[in-house]
Amino acid sequence: MSIEQRRRAVLLPAEVEILRRGLDAFAELGYEATSVRELGNRLGVSHNFVNDRYGSKNGFWEAVVDFALADWRRQVDPVLLKHFEDPAERLAAIVRRFYQIAVRSPQLSRLMAYEGTRDSARLDYLHERFLTPVLRLCEPSVEELVAAGRMRPVPLFQLYSLVSGPIATMTQGPLARRFGERPVSDRELSATADSMATMVMSGLLRD
C-alpha cells in the first residue's frame, strides 16, 4: 500500500494504537534493537503477529513510517493550502508548523535522526517519502526568495540541517533539565517552537 493509499485508508482504532506503539518503540530503541518479540510485548500481541500481519519487521516499520507521515501531512496540509502573498511568510509558516508538530510528536524526528547515521534501505525510504516531499514543499518559496535576493543560496542538505537542527533542543527534555531548565507546559513548548522558527528564518533571510 502506497503512502497516498495509507493517507486515505480508514484505520480501525486497534490498528492505530498498534502503529502508534510501534512508532514509539522504533523511535526509542532504533530498528536493530527492536526485536519482533519486543514489539509483541509492546503491542500486546503474540510474537507471530508482526510477521503474520505485515510480512516482516521491516514491513511493519514501513507501515509505521507511512502512518506517521500520513499524520504529519494532515497537520501540514492546512498551511500548504493557505494563500500567502509573501514567500517568506509561507516558508516561515511551514517551518513553524514543522516545529509545532515535532514538539508535540517527536517520534518521527527521532526516527530520522537514528536512521540518518546508517546507510540503509530504510534511509532511502525516509528520504523518498519524508525528506524529499518536505523539501519540495519549501522549494518554490526558497527559489522565489533567492531569485529576489532576499535569501542566500543554500544547498538542500544545509537547508534541511538548519531547519531540523533546533528540533533536538526542543525535544530533549531530560538533557534540558540537567542544564537547570524546568519542565515546560505544552503551551510553553508551542511558544518555543514559534520563537525558534522566527530565529531560523532570521538567519536564512538577508537583512
Side-chain angles (χ1 to χ4, degrees), residues 15-28:
E15 186 167 9
V16 169
E17 184 60 25
I18 283 171
L19 293 170
R20 189 169 288 141
R21 291 185 186 184
L23 178 61
D24 289 341
F26 287 126
E28 178 187 342

Side-chain angles (χ1 to χ4, degrees), residues 147-207:
R150 298 176 61 193
M151 182 174 172
R152 301 169 183 83
V154 181
L156 282 180
F157 183 68
Q158 288 185 21
L159 178 62
Y160 167 75
S161 300
L162 288 168
V163 172
S164 65
I167 291 174
T169 64
M170 292 186 287
T171 58
Q172 293 180 346
L175 179 60
R177 288 192 288 276
R178 281 161 176 77
F179 279 89
E181 297 290 327
R182 60 177 178 80
V184 297
S185 66
D186 289 344
R187 179 176 293 182
E188 289 172 312
L189 268 178
S190 179
T192 298
D194 287 346
S195 176
M196 195 68 74
T198 299
M199 286 189 285
V200 168
M201 288 302 301
S202 296
L204 287 173
L205 297 177
R206 292 183 185 274
D207 296 331

Side-chain angles (χ1 to χ4, degrees), residues 9-202:
V10 177
L11 301 177
L12 295 174
E15 186 167 9
V16 169
E17 184 60 25
I18 283 171
L19 293 170
R20 189 169 288 141
R21 291 185 186 184
L23 178 61
D24 289 341
F26 287 126
E28 178 187 342
L29 303 175
Y31 183 83
E32 285 81 4
T34 307
S35 66
V36 172
R37 185 172 296 279
E38 175 66 19
L39 284 171
N41 292 336
R42 290 188 175 225
L43 304 180
V45 297
S46 72
H47 66 277
N48 295 322
F49 174 83
V50 168
N51 288 332
D52 290 344
R53 177 69 177 83
Y54 298 95
S56 64
K57 183 175 80 167
N58 188 71
F60 180 60
W61 182 91
E62 290 182 356
V64 162
V65 168
D66 287 351
F67 166 74
L69 294 183
D71 184 60
W72 185 85
R73 281 303 301 262
R74 278 193 293 271
Q75 297 181 70
V76 169
D77 280 351
V79 174
L80 301 179
L81 295 173
K82 185 177 179 180
H83 175 70
F84 294 94
E85 295 289 347
D86 185 355
E89 186 181 350
R90 180 179 185 271
L91 184 60
I94 294 172
V95 172
R96 188 174 298 111
R97 180 59 58 92
F98 187 49
Y99 288 171
Q100 292 283 357
I101 297 170
V103 296
R104 291 195 301 268
S105 305
Q107 296 93 331
L108 186 57
S109 296
R110 289 171 179 165
L111 200 70
M112 187 65 243
Y114 174 86
E115 296 295 349
T117 63
R118 291 157 176 80
D119 197 353
S120 69
R122 295 187 307 278
L123 182 58
D124 291 338
Y125 197 87
L126 284 166
H127 181 265
E128 176 188 345
R129 300 195 177 212
F130 179 50
L131 294 183
T132 298
V134 167
L135 291 172
R136 282 179 179 164
L137 298 177
C138 301
E139 203 167 31
S141 298
V142 170
E143 290 177 349
E144 190 173 345
L145 289 167
V146 171
R150 298 176 61 193
M151 182 174 172
R152 301 169 183 83
V154 181
L156 282 180
F157 183 68
Q158 288 185 21
L159 178 62
Y160 167 75
S161 300
L162 288 168
V163 172
S164 65
I167 291 174
T169 64
M170 292 186 287
T171 58
Q172 293 180 346
L175 179 60
R177 288 192 288 276
R178 281 161 176 77
F179 279 89
E181 297 290 327
R182 60 177 178 80
V184 297
S185 66
D186 289 344
R187 179 176 293 182
E188 289 172 312
L189 268 178
S190 179
T192 298
D194 287 346
S195 176
M196 195 68 74
T198 299
M199 286 189 285
V200 168
M201 288 302 301
S202 296

